[in-house]
């Protein structure tokens, strides 16, 4: 009896007959830069998919040339619809470095695809700049927010960034100058590997390069001035990094809370009653693969979270506006949960704890007697760790100084069995 679905049968059959799809990396030198294997894949293909620029670079092909559909998200279904035919997909340089390769790998078994790459734009940029690639921070700004570069702007850093288009170099220069990094060196590398390759360098605060082609990338050597606004690497950013209305987990408590949440690479956090979004933002800053969902009932606070996530690096936070726990519906199960508000709402803790993955961590903070009583009851029921955090700051008292204590915070941490 065949227990496989028709789709699985089709997939297995295709895998048994070897690769039907050739993924070919294409440089700015077009056909001239292709290996004999890549040329053979191109000539034998019944269908050749690629961007208009790719198809123009290779010229006429024996098979049917198809430009990418618009919007581009329809490209993968269009390719998969031709499964089993001889298909060649053209990509820029290395298809697995910010290219279509990642999407194809998620949709196809590796046996159905052969990959013939070329040097990535990052590799070519390193050779032109004589920079060891392992010492560089790599980022793509193509189709992504410019602010993604902000966490990488560290003193002495070398950054390689794929541009969105010809406007990106000027925009990055302006961003650097605004943050006190105007002395940084910015090199624009255009059409790398092709006959029209061009490389030009300038100080960020003296940017005046014109006539930049859309296909370019940037090499930034960061020089920080005395007033540079550098995003610290530690937990507990100063409160003035965040726009807020007073609903903010303060820096000292935030650092302790992040430590209790214990972020690990690639994990998802639910930030419940997110306020300004500070906990979720710092969670995401701990690792580039971390994600968060911020649940916030008030529209003005939800909008503020959006502004904070952008100015602090366009970190991957999904903002859900609505009252918890109803707003939890349909969301991916988290690895960790922080409850900073609404702990007394009926069913909120229970719904969050049910959603939490086994082995996940839940941390809740309270400053009121009622909130503390709720945490004590939860501790009695579920165990975990309960602590009270008291912090005082030095304040002027007339012509002298004294310690002014902040409201103590009761914090409960529990690991789900």
């Amino acid at each position: 009896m065949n227990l496989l679905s028709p789709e699985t049968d089709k997939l297995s059959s295709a895998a048994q007959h070897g690769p039907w799809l050739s993924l070919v990396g294409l440089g700015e030198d077009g056909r001239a830069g292709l290996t004999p294997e890549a040329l053979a894949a191109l000539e034998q293909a019944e269908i050749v998919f690629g961007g208009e620029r790719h198809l123009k670079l290779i010229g006429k092909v024996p098979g049917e040339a198809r430009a990418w559909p618009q919007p581009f998200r329809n490209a993968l279904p269009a390719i998969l619809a031709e499964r089993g035919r001889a298909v060649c997909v053209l990509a820029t340089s290395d298809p697995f470095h910010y290219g279509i390769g990642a999407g194809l790998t998620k949709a196809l078994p590796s046996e159905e695809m052969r990959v013939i790459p070329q040097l990535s734009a990052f590799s070519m940029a390193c050779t032109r700049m004589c920079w060891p690639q392992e010492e560089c921070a790599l980022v793509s700004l193509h189709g992504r927010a410019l602010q993604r570069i902000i966490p990488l702007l560290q003193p002495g850093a070398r950054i390689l960034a794929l541009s969105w288009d010809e406007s990106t170099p000027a925009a990055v220069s302006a961003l650097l100058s605004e943050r006190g990094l105007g002395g940084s060196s910015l090199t624009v590398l255009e059409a790398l590997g092709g006959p029209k390759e061009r490389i030009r360098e300038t100080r960020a605060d003296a940017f005046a390069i014109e006539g930049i082609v859309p296909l370019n990338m940037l090499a930034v050597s960061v020089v920080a001035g005395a007033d540079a606004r550098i995003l610290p690497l530690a937990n507990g950013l100063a409160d003035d990094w965040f726009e807020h209305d007073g609903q903010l987990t303060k820096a000292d408590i935030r650092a302790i809370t992040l430590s209790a949440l214990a972020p690990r690479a690639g994990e998802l956090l639910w930030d419940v009653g997110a306020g300004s979004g500070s906990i979720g933002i710092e969670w995401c800053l701990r690792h580039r693969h971390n994600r968060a969902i911020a649940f916030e009932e008030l529209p003005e606070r939800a909008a503020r979270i959006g502004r904070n996530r952008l100015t602090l690096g366009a970190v991957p936070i999904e903002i859900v506006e609505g009252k918890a726990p109803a707003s939890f519906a349909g969301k991916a199960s988290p690895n960790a949960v922080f409850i900073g508000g609404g702990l007394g709402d009926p069913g909120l803790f229970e719904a969050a704890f049910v959603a939490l993955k086994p082995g996940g961590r839940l941390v809740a903070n309270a400053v009121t007697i009622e909130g503390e009583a709720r945490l004590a009851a939860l501790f009695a029921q579920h165990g975990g760790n309960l602590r009270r955090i008291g912090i005082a700051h030095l304040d002027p008292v007339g012509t002298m100084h004294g310690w002014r204590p902040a409201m103590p915070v009761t914090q409960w941490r529990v690991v789900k069995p």
Side-chain angles (χ1 to χ4, degrees), residues 73-379:
R73 63 174 177 272
N74 294 331
L76 191 57
I79 294 169
L80 296 178
E82 305 300 338
R83 178 182 248 142
R85 300 180 68 184
V87 173
C88 181
V89 173
L90 298 174
T92 300
S93 304
D94 182 350
F96 283 91
H97 211 154
Y98 295 104
I100 195 174
L104 284 171
T105 299
K106 293 175 183 176
L108 286 175
S110 59
E111 313 91 80
E112 295 191 38
M113 177 171 55
R114 59 174 170 167
V115 184
I116 311 168
Q118 290 203 38
L119 283 176
S120 71
F122 293 108
S123 295
M124 288 189 283
C126 283
T127 62
R128 306 304 192 270
M129 300 297 297
C130 294
W131 288 358
Q133 188 165 328
E134 67 271 17
E135 296 177 7
C136 298
L138 313 181
V139 65
S140 175
L141 305 178
H142 183 77
R144 297 168 171 87
L146 184 77
Q147 290 83 356
R148 281 169 55 89
I149 201 171
I150 289 174
L152 306 180
L153 298 177
Q154 301 292 323
R158 288 174 169 177
I159 303 168
L160 297 173
L162 290 174
S163 291
W164 193 335
D165 57 24
E166 67 276 10
S167 69
T168 304
V172 170
S173 293
L175 179 67
L176 290 167
S177 299
E178 290 166 5
R179 302 182 74 86
L181 304 168
S184 300
S185 171
L186 190 145
T187 303
V188 183
L189 304 102
E190 304 170 75
L192 284 173
K196 296 182 180 179
E197 179 178 309
R198 181 168 57 177
I199 299 174
R200 294 179 281 179
E201 182 181 356
T202 182
R203 270 178 61 113
D205 57 8
F207 187 88
I209 298 176
E210 298 181 345
I212 299 171
V213 301
L215 187 68
N216 71 85
M217 71 179 305
L218 303 175
V220 182
S221 182
V222 179
V223 176
D227 61 342
R229 192 160 170 78
I230 302 294
L231 192 61
L233 300 179
N235 286 340
L237 296 177
D239 295 343
D240 62 8
W241 279 96
F242 301 93
E243 179 189 343
H244 63 91
D245 60 359
Q247 186 68 18
L248 173 76
T249 303
K250 302 300 191 293
D252 301 317
I253 302 300
R254 195 180 330 118
I256 295 171
T257 300
L258 264 294
S259 177
L261 286 166
R264 301 168 186 169
E267 290 191 326
L268 172 66
L269 170 76
W270 279 12
D271 185 359
V272 182
S276 65
S278 61
I279 293 290
I281 288 170
E282 291 217 38
W283 168 278
C284 291
L285 287 172
R286 300 284 65 80
H287 194 278
R288 63 193 181 94
H289 289 149
N290 284 6
R291 299 171 297 119
I293 302 176
F295 298 93
E296 176 52 54
E297 182 178 357
L298 299 179
E300 60 272 22
R301 287 180 177 167
R304 191 176 291 116
I305 295 169
R307 295 192 293 272
N308 281 332
R309 70 162 287 278
L310 193 62
T311 58
L312 286 165
V315 293
I317 293 181
E318 178 186 353
I319 302 166
V320 178
E321 184 181 320
K323 188 170 180 60
S327 57
F328 296 165
K331 299 305 176 185
S333 296
N335 304 97
V337 174
F338 172 63
I339 302 178
L343 187 62
D345 292 348
L348 188 146
F349 162 75
E350 289 77 10
F353 201 61
V354 166
L356 184 64
K357 291 181 178 180
R361 293 84 62 201
L362 185 145
V363 175
N365 292 350
V367 295
T368 65
I369 291 294
E370 293 80 5
E372 186 174 89
R374 172 69 168 146
L375 292 185
L378 290 171
F379 170 73

Side-chain angles (χ1 to χ4, degrees), residues 393-404:
H393 294 275
L394 195 66
D395 274 356
V397 181
T399 59
M400 297 188 232
H401 294 81
W403 294 105
R404 189 178 302 278

